[in-house]
Amino acid sequence: MALTSNLSFFIFFNSIFISSISSFTTQHPFDPLSPYELMQIQSIVKNSLSSSKSSLITFHYVGLDEPEKPLVQSWLSKPKTKPPPRRALVMTRFDKQTYEFIINLSSKPFSIISTKVYKDYGYPTLGSDEQISAILLPLKYGPFIDSVRSRGLHLSDVVCSTFTVGWYGKESNRRVIKLQCYHINGTLNLYLLPIEGIKIVVDLDEMKIVEYVDNGRVPVPKSEGTDYRLSEQKPPFGPHINGAAILQPNGPGFIIDGYTIKWMNWDFHLAFDARVGPVISLATIYDQEKQRHRSVMYRGHVSELFVPYQDPTEDYYYKTYFDCGEFGFGLLAVSLVPQADCPNNAVFMDGYLAGQDGSPVQIPNVFCIFERHSGDVMWRHTEFGIPNITVTESRPEVSLVVRMVATVGNYDHILDWEFKPSGSINVQAGLSGVLEVKATKYTHSDEIDQEVDGTLLADNTIGLNHDHFLTYRLDLDIDGVENSLVKQNMVTKRVLNGKTPRKSYWTVESETAKTESEGKIKLGQKPANLVIVNPNKKTKYGNSHGYRLIPGTVAHPILEDDDYPQIRGAFSNYNVWITPYNKSEIWAGGRYVDQSHGQDTLAVWSLRNREIENKDIVLWYVLGIHHIPCQEDFPLMPTLSAGFEIRPTNFFEFNPVLKVIPPQPVNIQNFGP
């Protein structure tokens, strides 16, 4: 990553050179892999697999192998010393097998620590190049060409897309995907114009079509009204958005030092990962009264996104995606657009990942960081209860936002991490893009004479019902490593003493979760606060230091537990999970998700029912949305946002922003044209 919107060829290779000669003693343990490291990894892995075989080596994940936590903590206490051993985790395909490498990056030259062949169920994340190769196959496949022509369509207007096949109880040793094709017909909104009735299965290792069926014809929806480009819109236009700008005479209020970001009382590390996108590490907040930084979150990131569609028919039943494990949020991250995706005061950072051939790929502007001046109120009070005295004190809310967008096929996912001076971290996910639709013969809802798993949005177009279960992994270290989950249950009590006219009240009955089974929680069943506390640290008045989870939208799975997609996505069965810290338990859907059987998931790990009281624990939060499409989602849906917040609870001795210094007014006249 670099603090620029576009790196030139010269700067890019200079950064590689600088990375190659930089001191390992000054490198942060959580820094993402540099272009130089990626190139060296590519060379080492290819050399290790070179043989008489002509098989192509493909890279499907190359990322930082997280250092052991005690070693990182030891380094944090003495940051001038040598950092923990730096390693990379590499997943490749070679000779129809999955190879997993651990690479030592601390030695010169780099070396392989371990190699193993993965032989359990599941395959690594799909590669971008192989998907491109696969979608071109039908355009040269005779039966498909005949199917297109028989429908009166033009092959030059056909575009295909890749879809994972899932697992439905049958054994398979083939790494395959399905293709669905679309007829763009003058629009770029291909996902709204599906060509129905054609089944195409591609073997990715053989790179050939292994199954083809044409089941019949359904009218292709019309392209009129589907284009979302402003240049293609017709009057009437509106509403009109007035121009706005954020003026910061003294520049940004934050400092970026390498990958460490310092803003107001916050200090944290930001890295880019090919599978999950943004990773926030070592988030600490400065306590003015104690005159020191205090730990809040060791590591936080998206872990998996489970999106099961609800059409059980032959052509759609398999559409139950795991976007991080099958496609990769980082692999599908897009460059952010200044003053559209991010405000004019944003600073942009680039990201690097390994392409399918292992070479470094740059994603310009993959992150933006900006101060949000939202017009909200941080705190206020007007006091006019005292005779002849009126006092008003108010402070404007200002926060720091880290943003990335991952476009997985038709959906755009806007990922925000928002830090507030009060100590809160607000996590938001925005959903936009194009709905998954199904072509139909219907043009009006009154014509529908059978069960339809969606909403009629336009002529011959049904938006399919589906869910979004976005799972976050939050390794919270509240003022230290040993933490507990406290459930503050709000219980109704009946007044029985006859000394008051009140008949009832509620009180809090707290319980501490002792094992993983007690840390599994379905929200909404009974009123309760969920607080991660450090039972070993107390306030002046005896309350345990803590952070409270404030949930947002709550949704639970509606599928049957024995349905195959739900077996694989069983981590969505609860909104909250608590597990002991385990370096290998990072991805809720498992390490190898494509065609997995659900044998390596958060739901399986927690069956061990390990102790979680006063331990180094991890909070998993499942943000769920049931999406019933509506016409306002057509042809491109306005952003639908959901999220959650973690908020200090008895962490500080009193309001940490009571003494915040408000900003000085900006003289706008000094910034006129």
Side-chain angles (χ1 to χ4, degrees):
M1 276 179 268
L3 298 182
T4 175
S5 58
N6 291 292
L7 287 181
S8 66
F9 183 88
F10 173 79
I11 296 176
F12 172 73
F13 278 95
N14 264 282
S15 70
I16 295 175
F17 174 73
I18 292 170
S19 295
S20 68
I21 62 175
S22 63
S23 168
F24 288 99
T25 60
T26 59
Q27 189 170 28
H28 195 288
F30 288 140
D31 281 355
L33 301 181
S34 69
Y36 170 77
E37 290 173 321
L38 292 173
M39 287 196 303
Q40 293 299 307
I41 290 167
Q42 176 196 41
S43 176
I44 292 170
V45 170
K46 283 188 172 182
N47 288 337
S48 73
L49 293 178
S50 62
S51 66
S52 58
K53 296 179 181 179
S54 59
S55 297
L56 179 68
I57 302 170
T58 56
F59 292 75
H60 295 266
Y61 176 77
V62 182
L64 182 70
D65 182 45
E66 182 178 318
E68 296 291 343
K69 192 170 183 179
L71 296 179
V72 175
Q73 292 171 324
S74 177
W75 176 80
L76 287 172
S77 65
K78 299 178 181 179
K80 300 296 184 180
T81 60
K82 186 177 180 179
R86 184 168 172 81
R87 299 175 177 179
L89 170 64
V90 183
M91 300 176 184
T92 67
R93 290 284 293 174
F94 176 71
D95 195 28
K96 298 184 180 181
Q97 291 184 304
T98 298
Y99 285 79
E100 186 176 299
F101 297 85
I102 299 295
I103 309 293
N104 182 3
L105 305 179
S106 294
S107 63
K108 295 182 181 180
F110 297 164
S111 59
I112 295 176
I113 296 175
S114 65
T115 305
K116 71 176 182 180
V117 177
Y118 176 76
K119 295 184 178 181
D120 205 346
Y121 299 116
Y123 299 102
T125 305
L126 298 180
S128 56
D129 293 344
E130 64 184 357
Q131 292 183 74
I132 292 173
S133 297
I135 65 176
L136 296 177
L137 292 176
L139 305 182
K140 297 179 180 179
Y141 187 69
F144 179 76
I145 295 172
D146 292 340
S147 294
V148 170
R149 289 174 177 169
S150 70
R151 287 165 167 78
L153 305 176
H154 300 289
L155 189 65
S156 60
D157 287 333
V158 172
V159 178
C160 301
S161 187
T162 57
F163 298 86
T164 49
V165 300
W167 166 68
Y168 291 89
K170 296 181 180 180
E171 296 291 329
S172 174
N173 59 0
R174 304 188 77 165
R175 186 167 167 263
V176 298
I177 57 172
K178 288 185 178 181
L179 303 183
Q180 182 164 354
C181 299
Y182 306 85
H183 190 256
I184 57 177
N185 191 26
T187 179
L188 294 186
N189 202 343
L190 69 148
Y191 293 106
L192 292 183
L193 307 178
I195 302 172
E196 301 285 4
I198 298 176
K199 178 182 180 181
I200 308 172
V201 180
V202 173
D203 186 313
L204 289 174
D205 291 327
E206 299 286 346
M207 197 48 68
K208 66 179 183 181
I209 295 174
V210 294
E211 186 176 353
Y212 184 85
V213 179
D214 188 341
N215 290 319
R217 292 152 184 78
V218 176
V220 176
K222 299 180 179 64
S223 62
E224 287 79 12
T226 62
D227 210 308
Y228 47 80
R229 291 172 293 177
L230 182 60
S231 61
E232 299 300 315
Q233 305 307 310
K234 298 177 181 179
F237 293 97
H240 179 77
I241 300 176
N242 287 332
I246 296 175
L247 304 178
Q248 295 184 289
N250 299 319
F254 54 90
I255 297 172
I256 301 180
D257 180 10
Y259 298 92
T260 297
I261 299 175
K262 300 178 180 180
W263 173 78
M264 295 186 73
N265 46 358
W266 280 103
D267 190 322
F268 61 90
H269 185 277
L270 170 64
F272 174 74
D273 179 76
R275 181 157 173 165
V276 303
V279 180
I280 307 292
S281 301
L282 305 179
T284 64
I285 190 165
Y286 189 75
D287 189 324
Q288 295 285 353
E289 299 303 312
K290 296 182 182 297
Q291 294 290 295
R292 62 179 176 85
H293 278 274
R294 301 170 64 190
S295 63
V296 175
M297 185 170 69
Y298 180 76
R299 217 64 170 141
H301 56 82
V302 171
S303 180
E304 189 55 85
L305 173 55
F306 176 38
V307 188
Y309 281 81
Q310 303 305 313
D311 189 323
T313 60
E314 178 64 24
D315 291 339
Y316 282 89
Y317 75 88
Y318 63 91
K319 293 193 173 185
T320 54
Y321 312 125
F322 295 79
D323 283 347
C324 291
E326 293 176 339
F327 297 99
F329 262 14
L331 289 172
L332 295 175
V334 298
S335 295
L336 299 171
V337 180
Q339 300 193 58
D341 290 324
C342 309
N344 70 295
N345 65 324
V347 172
F348 293 84
M349 299 176 76
D350 301 341
Y352 296 95
L353 52 79
Q356 190 174 307
D357 66 352
S359 60
V361 175
Q362 179 193 10
I363 306 178
N365 294 8
V366 74
F367 293 145
C368 70
I369 303 99
F370 59 92
E371 288 174 289
R372 173 178 280 158
H373 298 256
S374 60
D376 292 336
V377 178
M378 179 186 291
W379 62 261
R380 78 168 324 280
H381 180 61
T382 296
E383 182 56 68
F384 45 74
I386 303 174
N388 303 318
I389 296 177
T390 299
V391 175
T392 295
E393 287 285 328
S394 182
R395 302 291 183 269
E397 180 73 279
V398 180
S399 58
L400 184 75
V401 178
V402 174
R403 176 170 295 165
M404 193 199 87
V405 172
T407 300
V408 186
N410 55 306
Y411 258 110
D412 293 64
H413 305 82
I414 305 156
L415 306 177
D416 280 3
W417 290 82
E418 181 180 17
F419 296 83
K420 298 185 177 183
S422 62
S424 287
I425 302 176
N426 185 24
V427 183
Q428 290 288 318
L431 305 175
S432 189
V434 184
L435 291 174
E436 179 100 5
V437 303
K438 176 180 181 179
T440 180
K441 64 182 180 180
Y442 304 118
T443 59
H444 195 279
S445 60
D446 290 345
E447 301 171 357
I448 300 176
D449 57 3
Q450 60 186 20
E451 182 179 344
V452 172
D453 300 293
T455 305
L456 188 67
L457 303 175
D459 288 349
N460 311 119
T461 305
I462 290 177
L464 297 175
N465 298 331
H466 58 284
D467 300 315
H468 303 264
F469 292 108
L470 191 62
T471 303
Y472 286 83
R473 178 182 183 268
L474 307 171
D475 181 2
L476 300 179
D477 283 353
I478 307 303
D479 234 357
V481 172
E482 287 77 23
N483 290 178
S484 298
L485 170 68
V486 173
K487 293 180 273 188
Q488 296 178 332
N489 301 309
M490 286 164 260
V491 181
T492 302
K493 296 287 187 176
R494 189 77 177 173
V495 177
L496 301 174
N497 58 20
K499 297 180 179 180
T500 173
R502 285 282 297 273
K503 295 184 178 181
S504 65
Y505 65 100
W506 64 262
T507 188
V508 175
E509 295 181 356
S510 295
E511 58 176 316
T512 300
K514 300 183 181 301
T515 62
E516 287 178 276
S517 62
E518 296 177 6
K520 301 175 185 179
I521 299 169
K522 290 185 178 181
L523 297 172
Q525 294 186 331
K526 61 180 181 179
N529 277 345
L530 302 180
V531 186
I532 302 295
V533 304
N534 187 329
N536 313 294
K537 301 287 182 66
K538 306 285 186 179
T539 65
K540 177 181 177 181
Y541 302 104
N543 298 309
S544 295
H545 296 173
Y547 259 72
R548 175 164 55 110
L549 172 68
I550 302 178
T553 303
V554 174
H556 306 127
I558 307 176
L559 298 179
E560 298 288 351
D561 288 343
D562 64 348
D563 196 359
Y564 295 106
Q566 195 58 41
I567 292 173
R568 299 174 67 213
F571 53 84
S572 64
N573 289 342
Y574 296 89
N575 304 105
V576 174
W577 305 70
I578 304 291
T579 63
Y581 170 82
N582 187 317
K583 176 190 165 186
S584 65
E585 297 175 1
I586 296 176
W587 300 310
R591 181 164 287 197
Y592 297 96
V593 179
D594 182 27
Q595 297 185 55
S596 69
H597 293 192
Q599 78 282 359
D600 174 33
T601 69
L602 171 60
V604 173
W605 308 332
S606 67
L607 292 176
R608 287 172 282 180
N609 203 25
R610 295 162 291 185
E611 293 183 359
I612 58 172
E613 184 180 13
N614 203 12
K615 302 287 185 182
D616 187 0
I617 58 176
V618 175
L619 165 68
W620 306 76
Y621 180 76
V622 181
L623 191 162
I625 299 174
H626 298 303
H627 193 170
I628 302 173
C630 62
Q631 287 186 236
E632 288 79 2
D633 293 335
F634 182 92
L636 191 141
M637 62 179 289
T639 300
L640 173 65
S641 295
F644 63 95
E645 182 179 343
I646 56 171
R647 181 183 179 95
T649 299
N650 299 317
F651 186 81
F652 298 102
E653 292 292 338
F654 54 86
N655 179 353
V657 288
L658 179 69
K659 303 176 184 179
V660 68
I661 301 174
Q664 294 295 317
V666 175
N667 188 344
I668 299 177
Q669 293 180 348
N670 294 336
F671 298 89

